[in-house]
Amino acid sequence: MSRQFDVVVERDAEGFFVATVPALPGCHTQAQSLDQLMERVKEAIELCLEVAGTAPESLDFVGVQRVTVEV
C-alpha cells in the first residue's frame, strides 16, 4: 500500500534544505541537495510511520502562507 504525504521544504541560513512533514509531528530531515533531501524524507516518513504503529488521518493540503510580525 502506498500513501502520499505533503512535505514543506525550506532552506536554512547555512544553505541546507530542510523538509518537514506536517501530517507526522516530529518528522523532518535535512540535506545539502534537493535530490538527497527527497531520499532522506522518504526514509524519515517510513521511520515515523514505523514508530507510530498506525497511519495518521490524511490531511488535505490547502497552501502555504507567509506571515510577517513585528518582533
Side-chain angles (χ1 to χ4, degrees):
M1 178 173 99
S2 63
R3 295 224 16 220
Q4 292 184 339
F5 291 89
D6 297 313
V7 177
V8 176
V9 177
E10 300 172 289
R11 188 180 304 201
D12 70 12
E14 297 172 1
F16 281 82
F17 292 99
V18 179
T20 304
V21 184
L24 300 171
C27 187
H28 51 271
T29 190
Q30 67 178 22
Q32 290 183 331
S33 72
L34 286 173
D35 289 336
Q36 187 180 40
L37 184 71
M38 289 301 102
E39 290 176 23
R40 288 184 177 181
V41 77
K42 286 179 184 180
E43 292 173 3
I45 290 169
E46 290 169 351
L47 289 171
C48 287
L49 290 173
E50 183 179 317
V51 168
T54 60
E57 285 187 35
S58 295
L59 299 174
D60 290 331
F61 181 75
V62 176
V64 176
Q65 296 290 318
R66 183 169 295 214
V67 177
T68 302
V69 296
E70 296 295 326
V71 289

